[in-house]
Amino acid sequence: MSSLDVRRFIVISTGHLTEATAKLLDDVPVDDWPCLGGRYGDYGWFVYAHDENCGTGKDRSPDDLVAVMIWARKERCDYVLLDCDGDQIDALPHHDW
């Protein structure tokens, strides 16, 4: 039997991103995002949880998104599904927009 590469993801509220970051993820084509990921229909975004901000300049991920990714890594998750109906996490800021 071959070894499988199994990854974990966590579902949290889109409210952990600022309105500016949400607009960026909505308005910028996925190929030009500052991180790996994609849209989750009309409900949010699915992103790879980098453990640091890998970009510079226009490729730099917004600080709020990086904070979410670093938190997810500490929770031993490789990906984050930011869902409009996801749970709010006490350890992360929440933004009403």
Coordinates of all heavy atoms in Angstrom, one line a residue:
M1 N 0.8 -1.2 0.0 CA 0.0 0.0 0.0 C 0.9 1.2 0.0 O 1.8 1.3 0.8 CB -0.9 0.0 1.2 CG -1.8 1.1 1.3 SD -3.1 0.8 2.6 CE -3.2 2.4 3.2
S2 N 0.6 2.2 -0.9 CA 1.4 3.4 -0.9 C 0.9 4.4 0.2 O -0.2 4.3 0.7 CB 1.2 4.1 -2.3 OG -0.2 4.6 -2.4
S3 N 1.9 5.2 0.6 CA 1.5 6.2 1.6 C 0.7 7.4 1.0 O 1.0 7.8 -0.1 CB 2.8 6.7 2.3 OG 3.6 7.5 1.4
L4 N -0.3 7.8 1.7 CA -1.1 8.9 1.2 C -0.7 10.2 1.9 O -0.4 10.2 3.1 CB -2.6 8.6 1.5 CG -3.2 7.3 0.9 CD1 -4.6 7.1 1.3 CD2 -3.2 7.5 -0.6
D5 N -0.8 11.3 1.2 CA -0.5 12.6 1.7 C -1.9 13.2 2.1 O -2.6 13.8 1.3 CB 0.2 13.4 0.6 CG 0.6 14.8 1.2 OD1 0.6 15.0 2.4 OD2 0.9 15.7 0.4
V6 N -2.2 13.1 3.4 CA -3.5 13.6 3.9 C -3.3 14.9 4.5 O -2.4 15.1 5.3 CB -4.1 12.6 4.9 CG1 -5.4 13.1 5.5 CG2 -4.3 11.2 4.2
R7 N -4.2 15.9 4.2 CA -4.1 17.2 4.7 C -5.3 17.6 5.5 O -6.4 17.1 5.2 CB -3.9 18.2 3.6 CG -2.7 18.0 2.7 CD -1.4 18.2 3.5 NE -0.3 17.9 2.6 CZ 0.7 18.8 2.4 NH1 0.6 20.0 2.8 NH2 1.7 18.5 1.6
R8 N -5.2 18.5 6.4 CA -6.4 19.0 7.2 C -6.7 20.4 6.9 O -5.8 21.2 6.5 CB -6.0 19.0 8.7 CG -5.8 17.6 9.3 CD -5.3 17.6 10.7 NE -5.8 18.7 11.5 CZ -6.3 18.6 12.7 NH1 -6.3 17.4 13.3 NH2 -6.8 19.6 13.4
F9 N -8.0 20.7 7.0 CA -8.4 22.1 6.8 C -9.4 22.4 7.9 O -10.0 21.5 8.5 CB -9.0 22.4 5.4 CG -10.3 21.9 5.1 CD1 -11.5 22.7 5.3 CD2 -10.5 20.6 4.6 CE1 -12.7 22.2 5.0 CE2 -11.8 20.1 4.3 CZ -12.9 21.0 4.5
I10 N -9.6 23.7 8.2 CA -10.5 24.2 9.2 C -11.5 25.2 8.6 O -11.0 25.9 7.7 CB -9.7 24.7 10.4 CG1 -10.7 24.9 11.6 CG2 -9.0 26.0 10.0 CD1 -9.9 25.1 12.9
V11 N -12.7 25.2 9.0 CA -13.7 26.2 8.5 C -13.9 27.2 9.6 O -14.2 26.9 10.7 CB -15.0 25.4 8.3 CG1 -16.1 26.4 7.7 CG2 -14.8 24.3 7.3
I12 N -13.7 28.5 9.2 CA -13.9 29.6 10.1 C -14.6 30.7 9.4 O -14.8 30.7 8.1 CB -12.6 30.1 10.7 CG1 -11.7 30.7 9.7 CG2 -11.9 29.0 11.5 CD1 -10.5 31.4 10.2
S13 N -15.1 31.7 10.1 CA -15.9 32.8 9.6 C -15.1 33.7 8.6 O -13.9 34.0 8.9 CB -16.4 33.7 10.7 OG -17.0 34.9 10.2
T14 N -15.7 34.2 7.5 CA -15.1 35.2 6.7 C -14.9 36.5 7.4 O -14.0 37.3 7.0 CB -16.0 35.5 5.4 OG1 -17.3 35.8 5.9 CG2 -16.1 34.3 4.5
G15 N -15.6 36.7 8.5 CA -15.4 37.9 9.3 C -14.1 38.1 9.9 O -13.8 39.1 10.5
H16 N -13.2 37.0 9.9 CA -11.9 37.2 10.4 C -11.0 37.9 9.4 O -9.8 38.2 9.7 CB -11.3 35.8 10.7 CG -11.9 35.2 11.9 ND1 -11.9 35.8 13.2 CD2 -12.7 34.1 12.0 CE1 -12.6 35.0 14.0 NE2 -13.1 34.0 13.3
L17 N -11.5 38.2 8.2 CA -10.8 39.1 7.3 C -11.4 40.5 7.3 O -12.6 40.6 7.5 CB -10.8 38.5 5.9 CG -10.3 37.1 5.7 CD1 -10.4 36.7 4.2 CD2 -8.8 37.1 6.2
T18 N -10.7 41.5 7.0 CA -11.2 42.8 6.9 C -12.0 42.9 5.6 O -11.8 42.1 4.7 CB -10.1 43.9 6.9 OG1 -9.3 43.7 5.7 CG2 -9.3 43.8 8.2
E19 N -12.8 44.0 5.5 CA -13.6 44.2 4.3 C -12.6 44.4 3.1 O -12.9 44.0 2.0 CB -14.5 45.4 4.4 CG -15.4 45.6 3.3 CD -16.4 46.7 3.5 OE1 -16.4 47.4 4.5 OE2 -17.3 46.8 2.7
A20 N -11.5 45.1 3.3 CA -10.5 45.4 2.3 C -9.9 44.1 1.7 O -9.7 43.9 0.5 CB -9.4 46.3 2.8
T21 N -9.6 43.1 2.6 CA -9.0 41.8 2.2 C -10.1 41.0 1.4 O -9.8 40.4 0.4 CB -8.5 41.0 3.4 OG1 -7.4 41.8 4.0 CG2 -7.9 39.7 3.0
A22 N -11.3 41.1 1.9 CA -12.4 40.4 1.3 C -12.6 40.9 -0.2 O -12.8 40.1 -1.1 CB -13.7 40.5 2.0
K23 N -12.5 42.2 -0.3 CA -12.7 42.8 -1.6 C -11.5 42.4 -2.5 O -11.7 42.1 -3.7 CB -12.7 44.4 -1.5 CG -13.0 45.1 -2.8 CD -13.3 46.6 -2.5 CE -13.4 47.4 -3.8 NZ -14.1 46.8 -4.9
L24 N -10.3 42.4 -2.0 CA -9.2 42.0 -2.7 C -9.4 40.5 -3.3 O -9.2 40.3 -4.5 CB -7.9 42.0 -1.9 CG -6.6 41.4 -2.5 CD1 -5.9 42.4 -3.4 CD2 -5.7 40.8 -1.4
L25 N -9.8 39.6 -2.4 CA -10.0 38.2 -2.8 C -11.1 38.1 -3.8 O -11.1 37.2 -4.7 CB -10.2 37.4 -1.6 CG -9.0 37.3 -0.6 CD1 -9.4 36.4 0.6 CD2 -7.8 36.8 -1.3
D26 N -12.1 39.0 -3.7 CA -13.2 38.9 -4.6 C -12.9 39.5 -6.0 O -13.3 39.1 -7.0 CB -14.5 39.7 -4.1 CG -15.3 38.8 -3.1 OD1 -15.1 37.6 -3.1 OD2 -16.1 39.4 -2.3
D27 N -12.1 40.6 -6.0 CA -11.9 41.4 -7.2 C -10.7 41.0 -8.0 O -10.6 41.2 -9.2 CB -11.7 42.9 -6.8 CG -13.0 43.5 -6.3 OD1 -14.1 42.8 -6.4 OD2 -13.0 44.6 -5.8
V28 N -9.7 40.4 -7.4 CA -8.5 40.0 -8.1 C -8.6 38.6 -8.6 O -9.0 37.7 -7.9 CB -7.2 40.1 -7.1 CG1 -6.0 39.6 -7.7 CG2 -7.0 41.6 -6.7
P29 N -8.3 38.4 -9.9 CA -8.3 37.0 -10.4 C -7.4 36.0 -9.5 O -6.4 36.4 -9.0 CB -7.7 37.1 -11.8 CG -7.9 38.6 -12.2 CD -7.8 39.3 -10.9
V30 N -7.9 34.8 -9.3 CA -7.2 33.9 -8.5 C -5.8 33.7 -8.8 O -4.9 33.6 -7.9 CB -8.0 32.5 -8.5 CG1 -7.2 31.4 -7.8 CG2 -9.4 32.7 -7.9
D31 N -5.4 33.7 -10.1 CA -4.0 33.6 -10.5 C -3.2 34.7 -10.0 O -1.9 34.6 -10.0 CB -3.9 33.5 -12.0 CG -4.5 32.2 -12.6 OD1 -4.7 31.2 -11.8 OD2 -4.7 32.2 -13.8
D32 N -3.8 35.8 -9.6 CA -3.0 37.0 -9.2 C -3.1 37.2 -7.6 O -2.7 38.2 -7.1 CB -3.5 38.3 -9.9 CG -3.2 38.2 -11.4 OD1 -2.2 37.6 -11.8 OD2 -3.9 38.8 -12.1
W33 N -3.7 36.2 -7.0 CA -3.9 36.4 -5.5 C -2.5 36.4 -4.9 O -1.5 35.7 -5.4 CB -4.6 35.2 -5.0 CG -6.1 35.3 -4.9 CD1 -6.9 36.2 -5.6 CD2 -7.0 34.5 -4.2 NE1 -8.2 36.0 -5.4 CE2 -8.3 35.0 -4.5 CE3 -6.9 33.5 -3.3 CZ2 -9.4 34.4 -3.9 CZ3 -8.0 32.9 -2.7 CH2 -9.3 33.4 -3.0
P34 N -2.3 37.0 -3.7 CA -1.1 37.0 -3.0 C -0.8 35.7 -2.2 O 0.2 35.5 -1.5 CB -1.2 38.1 -2.0 CG -2.7 38.2 -1.7 CD -3.3 37.8 -3.0
C35 N -1.7 34.7 -2.3 CA -1.5 33.4 -1.7 C -2.2 32.3 -2.6 O -2.9 32.7 -3.5 CB -2.2 33.4 -0.3 SG -4.0 33.7 -0.3
L36 N -1.9 31.1 -2.3 CA -2.6 30.0 -3.0 C -4.0 29.8 -2.5 O -4.2 29.8 -1.3 CB -1.8 28.7 -2.8 CG -0.4 28.7 -3.4 CD1 0.3 27.4 -3.0 CD2 -0.4 28.8 -4.9
G37 N -4.9 29.6 -3.4 CA -6.3 29.4 -2.9 C -7.3 29.7 -4.1 O -6.9 29.8 -5.2
G38 N -8.5 29.8 -3.7 CA -9.6 30.1 -4.6 C -10.9 30.5 -4.0 O -11.0 30.4 -2.7
R39 N -11.8 30.9 -4.8 CA -13.2 31.2 -4.3 C -13.9 30.0 -3.8 O -13.7 28.9 -4.4 CB -14.0 31.9 -5.4 CG -13.4 33.1 -5.9 CD -14.0 34.4 -5.5 NE -15.4 34.4 -5.3 CZ -16.0 34.9 -4.2 NH1 -15.2 35.3 -3.2 NH2 -17.3 34.9 -4.1
Y40 N -14.8 30.1 -2.9 CA -15.7 29.1 -2.4 C -17.1 29.5 -2.8 O -17.8 30.0 -1.9 CB -15.5 28.9 -0.9 CG -16.4 27.9 -0.2 CD1 -16.4 26.6 -0.7 CD2 -17.2 28.3 0.8 CE1 -17.2 25.7 -0.1 CE2 -18.0 27.4 1.4 CZ -18.0 26.0 1.0 OH -18.9 25.1 1.6
G41 N -17.4 29.5 -4.0 CA -18.7 29.9 -4.5 C -18.9 31.4 -4.1 O -18.0 32.2 -4.2
D42 N -20.1 31.7 -3.7 CA -20.4 33.0 -3.2 C -20.3 33.1 -1.7 O -20.7 34.1 -1.1 CB -21.9 33.4 -3.6 CG -22.0 33.6 -5.1 OD1 -21.1 33.9 -5.7 OD2 -23.2 33.3 -5.5
Y43 N -19.7 32.1 -1.1 CA -19.7 31.9 0.4 C -18.4 32.3 1.1 O -18.3 32.5 2.3 CB -20.1 30.5 0.8 CG -21.3 30.1 0.2 CD1 -21.3 29.2 -0.9 CD2 -22.6 30.6 0.6 CE1 -22.5 28.8 -1.5 CE2 -23.8 30.2 0.0 CZ -23.7 29.3 -1.1 OH -24.9 29.0 -1.7
G44 N -17.3 32.4 0.3 CA -16.0 32.7 0.9 C -14.8 32.3 0.1 O -14.9 32.3 -1.1
W45 N -13.8 31.8 0.8 CA -12.5 31.5 0.1 C -11.8 30.3 0.7 O -12.0 30.1 1.9 CB -11.6 32.7 0.1 CG -12.3 34.0 -0.3 CD1 -12.4 34.4 -1.5 CD2 -12.9 34.9 0.6 NE1 -13.2 35.6 -1.5 CE2 -13.5 35.9 -0.2 CE3 -13.1 35.0 2.0 CZ2 -14.2 37.0 0.3 CZ3 -13.8 36.1 2.5 CH2 -14.3 37.1 1.7
F46 N -11.1 29.6 0.0 CA -10.3 28.4 0.4 C -8.8 28.8 0.2 O -8.5 29.1 -1.0 CB -10.7 27.2 -0.3 CG -10.1 25.9 0.2 CD1 -10.6 25.3 1.4 CD2 -9.1 25.3 -0.5 CE1 -10.0 24.2 1.8 CE2 -8.5 24.1 0.0 CZ -9.0 23.5 1.2
V47 N -8.0 28.8 1.2 CA -6.6 29.2 1.1 C -5.7 28.2 1.7 O -6.0 27.5 2.7 CB -6.4 30.6 1.7 CG1 -7.1 31.7 0.9 CG2 -6.6 30.7 3.1
Y48 N -4.5 28.1 1.1 CA -3.4 27.3 1.7 C -2.9 28.1 2.9 O -2.7 29.4 2.8 CB -2.3 27.1 0.7 CG -1.1 26.4 1.3 CD1 -1.1 25.1 1.6 CD2 0.1 27.1 1.5 CE1 0.0 24.4 2.2 CE2 1.2 26.5 2.0 CZ 1.1 25.1 2.4 OH 2.2 24.5 2.9
A49 N -2.6 27.5 4.0 CA -2.2 28.2 5.2 C -0.7 28.2 5.3 O 0.0 27.4 5.8 CB -2.7 27.5 6.5
H50 N -0.1 29.3 4.7 CA 1.3 29.5 4.8 C 1.7 29.8 6.3 O 0.8 30.3 7.0 CB 1.7 30.8 4.0 CG 1.5 30.6 2.5 ND1 2.4 29.9 1.7 CD2 0.5 31.0 1.7 CE1 2.0 30.0 0.5 NE2 0.8 30.6 0.4
D51 N 2.9 29.5 6.7 CA 3.2 29.8 8.1 C 4.0 31.1 8.2 O 4.5 31.4 9.3 CB 4.0 28.6 8.7 CG 5.2 28.2 7.9 OD1 5.5 28.8 6.9 OD2 5.8 27.2 8.3
E52 N 4.1 31.8 7.1 CA 4.7 33.2 7.1 C 4.2 33.9 5.9 O 3.6 33.3 5.0 CB 6.2 33.1 7.1 CG 6.8 32.4 5.9 CD 8.3 32.3 5.9 OE1 8.9 33.4 6.1 OE2 8.8 31.3 5.7
N53 N 4.4 35.2 5.9 CA 4.0 36.0 4.7 C 5.2 35.9 3.7 O 6.3 36.4 3.9 CB 3.8 37.5 5.1 CG 3.0 38.2 4.0 OD1 3.0 37.8 2.9 ND2 2.4 39.3 4.4
C54 N 4.9 35.2 2.6 CA 5.9 34.8 1.7 C 6.2 35.9 0.6 O 7.1 35.8 -0.1 CB 5.6 33.5 1.0 SG 5.4 32.1 2.1
G55 N 5.3 36.9 0.5 CA 5.4 37.8 -0.6 C 5.9 39.2 -0.1 O 6.1 39.5 1.0
T56 N 6.2 39.9 -1.1 CA 6.7 41.3 -0.9 C 5.9 42.2 -1.9 O 5.4 41.7 -2.9 CB 8.2 41.5 -1.1 OG1 8.5 41.1 -2.5 CG2 9.0 40.7 -0.1
G57 N 5.9 43.5 -1.7 CA 5.2 44.4 -2.6 C 3.7 44.0 -2.8 O 3.0 43.6 -1.9
K58 N 3.3 44.0 -4.1 CA 1.9 43.6 -4.4 C 1.7 42.1 -4.2 O 0.5 41.7 -4.1 CB 1.6 44.0 -5.9 CG 2.2 43.1 -6.9 CD 1.7 43.4 -8.3 CE 2.2 42.4 -9.3 NZ 1.7 41.1 -9.2
D59 N 2.7 41.3 -4.0 CA 2.5 39.9 -3.7 C 2.4 39.6 -2.2 O 2.2 38.4 -1.9 CB 3.7 39.1 -4.3 CG 3.7 39.2 -5.9 OD1 2.6 39.2 -6.4 OD2 4.8 39.2 -6.4
R60 N 2.5 40.6 -1.4 CA 2.4 40.4 0.0 C 1.0 40.2 0.4 O 0.1 40.9 0.0 CB 2.9 41.7 0.7 CG 2.9 41.6 2.2 CD 3.7 42.7 2.9 NE 3.6 42.7 4.3 CZ 4.3 41.9 5.1 NH1 5.2 41.0 4.5 NH2 4.1 41.9 6.4
S61 N 0.7 39.2 1.2 CA -0.6 38.9 1.7 C -1.0 39.9 2.8 O -0.1 40.3 3.6 CB -0.7 37.5 2.3 OG -0.5 36.5 1.3
P62 N -2.3 40.3 2.8 CA -2.7 41.2 3.9 C -2.4 40.6 5.3 O -2.6 39.4 5.5 CB -4.2 41.4 3.6 CG -4.4 41.0 2.2 CD -3.3 40.0 1.9
D63 N -2.1 41.5 6.2 CA -1.8 41.0 7.6 C -2.9 40.2 8.2 O -2.6 39.2 8.9 CB -1.4 42.2 8.5 CG -0.1 42.9 8.1 OD1 0.7 42.2 7.4 OD2 0.1 44.1 8.5
D64 N -4.2 40.6 8.0 CA -5.3 39.8 8.6 C -5.3 38.4 8.0 O -5.6 37.4 8.8 CB -6.6 40.5 8.5 CG -6.9 40.9 7.0 OD1 -6.0 41.2 6.2 OD2 -8.1 40.9 6.7
L65 N -5.1 38.2 6.8 CA -5.1 36.9 6.1 C -3.9 36.1 6.7 O -4.0 34.9 7.0 CB -5.0 37.0 4.6 CG -5.0 35.7 3.8 CD1 -6.2 34.9 4.2 CD2 -5.0 36.1 2.3
V66 N -2.7 36.7 6.8 CA -1.6 36.0 7.3 C -1.8 35.6 8.8 O -1.5 34.4 9.2 CB -0.3 36.9 7.3 CG1 0.9 36.2 8.0 CG2 0.1 37.2 5.8
A67 N -2.5 36.4 9.6 CA -2.8 36.0 10.9 C -3.7 34.8 11.0 O -3.5 33.9 11.8 CB -3.5 37.2 11.7
V68 N -4.7 34.7 10.1 CA -5.5 33.5 10.0 C -4.7 32.3 9.6 O -4.9 31.2 10.2 CB -6.7 33.8 9.0 CG1 -7.4 32.5 8.5 CG2 -7.7 34.8 9.5
M69 N -3.8 32.4 8.6 CA -3.0 31.3 8.2 C -2.1 30.8 9.3 O -2.0 29.6 9.5 CB -2.3 31.7 6.9 CG -3.2 31.9 5.7 SD -2.4 32.1 4.1 CE -1.7 33.7 4.3
I70 N -1.5 31.7 10.0 CA -0.6 31.3 11.1 C -1.3 30.7 12.2 O -0.9 29.6 12.7 CB 0.2 32.6 11.6 CG1 1.3 33.0 10.5 CG2 0.9 32.3 12.9 CD1 1.9 34.3 10.8
W71 N -2.5 31.2 12.5 CA -3.4 30.6 13.5 C -3.7 29.1 13.1 O -3.6 28.2 13.9 CB -4.6 31.4 13.8 CG -5.6 30.7 14.7 CD1 -5.6 30.7 16.0 CD2 -6.7 29.9 14.3 NE1 -6.6 29.9 16.5 CE2 -7.3 29.4 15.4 CE3 -7.2 29.5 13.0 CZ2 -8.4 28.5 15.4 CZ3 -8.3 28.6 13.0 CH2 -8.9 28.2 14.2
A72 N -4.1 29.0 11.8 CA -4.5 27.6 11.3 C -3.3 26.7 11.4 O -3.5 25.5 11.8 CB -5.0 27.7 9.9
R73 N -2.1 27.1 11.1 CA -0.9 26.2 11.3 C -0.7 25.8 12.7 O -0.4 24.7 13.0 CB 0.3 27.0 10.7 CG 0.4 26.9 9.2 CD 0.7 25.5 8.8 NE 0.7 25.4 7.4 CZ 1.1 24.4 6.7 NH1 1.5 23.3 7.3 NH2 1.0 24.4 5.4
K74 N -0.9 26.7 13.6 CA -0.8 26.4 15.0 C -1.8 25.4 15.5 O -1.6 24.6 16.4 CB -0.9 27.6 15.9 CG 0.3 28.5 15.8 CD 0.1 29.8 16.7 CE 1.3 30.7 16.5 NZ 1.1 32.0 17.2
E75 N -3.0 25.3 14.7 CA -4.0 24.3 15.0 C -3.8 23.1 14.2 O -4.7 22.2 14.1 CB -5.4 24.9 14.6 CG -5.8 26.1 15.5 CD -5.9 25.7 17.0 OE1 -6.6 24.7 17.2 OE2 -5.4 26.5 17.8
R76 N -2.6 23.0 13.5 CA -2.2 21.8 12.8 C -3.0 21.6 11.5 O -3.3 20.5 11.1 CB -2.2 20.6 13.6 CG -1.2 20.7 14.8 CD -1.1 19.5 15.6 NE -1.1 18.3 14.8 CZ -1.7 17.1 15.2 NH1 -2.3 17.0 16.4 NH2 -1.6 16.0 14.4
C77 N -3.5 22.7 10.9 CA -4.2 22.7 9.6 C -3.4 23.2 8.5 O -2.6 24.2 8.7 CB -5.5 23.5 9.8 SG -6.6 22.7 11.0
D78 N -3.6 22.6 7.3 CA -2.8 23.0 6.1 C -3.6 24.0 5.3 O -3.0 24.8 4.5 CB -2.5 21.8 5.3 CG -1.6 20.8 6.0 OD1 -0.5 21.2 6.4 OD2 -2.1 19.7 6.2
Y79 N -4.9 24.0 5.4 CA -5.8 24.9 4.6 C -6.9 25.5 5.5 O -7.2 25.0 6.6 CB -6.5 24.1 3.5 CG -5.5 23.5 2.5 CD1 -5.0 22.2 2.7 CD2 -5.1 24.2 1.4 CE1 -4.1 21.7 1.8 CE2 -4.2 23.7 0.5 CZ -3.7 22.4 0.7 OH -2.8 21.9 -0.2
V80 N -7.4 26.7 5.0 CA -8.5 27.3 5.7 C -9.6 27.6 4.8 O -9.4 28.1 3.7 CB -8.0 28.7 6.3 CG1 -9.2 29.4 7.0 CG2 -6.8 28.6 7.2
L81 N -10.8 27.2 5.2 CA -12.0 27.5 4.4 C -12.7 28.7 5.2 O -13.2 28.5 6.3 CB -13.0 26.3 4.3 CG -14.3 26.6 3.6 CD1 -14.1 27.2 2.2 CD2 -15.1 25.3 3.6
L82 N -12.6 29.8 4.6 CA -13.3 31.0 5.2 C -14.7 31.0 4.6 O -14.9 31.3 3.4 CB -12.5 32.3 4.8 CG -11.1 32.3 5.5 CD1 -10.1 32.9 4.6 CD2 -11.3 33.1 6.8
D83 N -15.7 30.7 5.4 CA -17.1 30.6 5.0 C -17.9 31.6 5.7 O -17.7 31.8 7.0 CB -17.5 29.1 5.4 CG -18.9 28.8 4.9 OD1 -19.8 29.6 5.1 OD2 -19.1 27.7 4.4
C84 N -18.9 32.2 5.0 CA -19.7 33.2 5.6 C -20.5 32.7 6.8 O -20.9 33.5 7.7 CB -20.6 33.9 4.6 SG -21.8 32.8 3.8
D85 N -20.7 31.4 6.9 CA -21.4 30.8 8.0 C -20.5 30.0 9.0 O -20.9 29.3 9.8 CB -22.4 29.8 7.5 CG -23.6 30.5 6.7 OD1 -23.9 31.6 7.1 OD2 -24.0 29.9 5.7
G86 N -19.2 30.2 8.8 CA -18.2 29.6 9.6 C -18.2 30.1 11.0 O -18.7 31.2 11.3
D87 N -17.6 29.4 12.0 CA -17.5 29.8 13.4 C -16.5 30.9 13.5 O -15.5 31.0 12.9 CB -17.0 28.6 14.2 CG -18.0 27.5 14.4 OD1 -19.3 27.8 14.2 OD2 -17.6 26.4 14.6
Q88 N -16.8 31.8 14.5 CA -15.9 32.9 14.9 C -14.9 32.2 15.9 O -15.4 31.5 16.8 CB -16.7 34.0 15.6 CG -17.5 34.8 14.6 CD -18.1 36.0 15.2 OE1 -17.6 36.6 16.2 NE2 -19.2 36.5 14.7
I89 N -13.7 32.6 15.8 CA -12.6 32.1 16.6 C -12.2 33.2 17.6 O -11.8 34.3 17.2 CB -11.4 31.6 15.8 CG1 -11.9 30.6 14.7 CG2 -10.3 31.1 16.7 CD1 -12.5 29.4 15.2
D90 N -12.3 32.9 18.9 CA -11.9 33.9 19.9 C -10.5 34.4 19.8 O -10.2 35.6 20.1 CB -12.1 33.3 21.3 CG -13.6 33.1 21.7 OD1 -14.5 33.7 21.0 OD2 -13.9 32.3 22.6
A91 N -9.6 33.6 19.3 CA -8.2 33.9 19.2 C -7.9 34.9 18.1 O -6.8 35.4 18.0 CB -7.3 32.7 19.1
L92 N -8.9 35.1 17.2 CA -8.7 36.0 16.0 C -9.6 37.2 16.1 O -10.7 37.0 16.5 CB -8.9 35.2 14.7 CG -8.0 34.1 14.4 CD1 -8.5 33.2 13.3 CD2 -6.6 34.7 14.0
P93 N -9.1 38.3 15.6 CA -10.1 39.5 15.5 C -11.2 39.2 14.5 O -11.1 38.4 13.6 CB -9.2 40.6 14.9 CG -7.8 40.2 15.1 CD -7.8 38.7 15.1
H94 N -12.3 39.8 14.8 CA -13.5 39.6 13.9 C -14.0 41.0 13.5 O -14.0 41.9 14.3 CB -14.6 38.9 14.7 CG -15.7 38.4 13.7 ND1 -16.8 39.2 13.5 CD2 -15.8 37.3 13.0 CE1 -17.6 38.5 12.6 NE2 -17.0 37.4 12.3
H95 N -14.3 41.1 12.2 CA -14.7 42.4 11.6 C -16.1 42.3 11.1 O -16.5 41.3 10.4 CB -13.7 42.7 10.4 CG -12.3 42.6 10.8 ND1 -11.6 43.6 11.4 CD2 -11.4 41.5 10.7 CE1 -10.4 43.2 11.6 NE2 -10.2 41.9 11.2
D96 N -16.9 43.2 11.4 CA -18.3 43.3 10.9 C -18.3 44.2 9.7 O -18.0 45.4 9.8 CB -19.2 43.9 12.0 CG -19.4 43.0 13.1 OD1 -19.6 41.8 12.9 OD2 -19.4 43.4 14.3
W97 N -18.6 43.6 8.5 CA -18.7 44.4 7.3 C -19.8 44.0 6.5 O -20.5 43.2 6.3 CB -17.4 44.4 6.5 CG -16.7 43.1 6.4 CD1 -15.7 42.6 7.2 CD2 -16.8 42.0 5.5 NE1 -15.2 41.4 6.9 CE2 -15.9 41.0 5.8 CE3 -17.7 41.8 4.4 CZ2 -15.8 39.8 5.0 CZ3 -17.6 40.6 3.6 CH2 -16.6 39.6 4.0

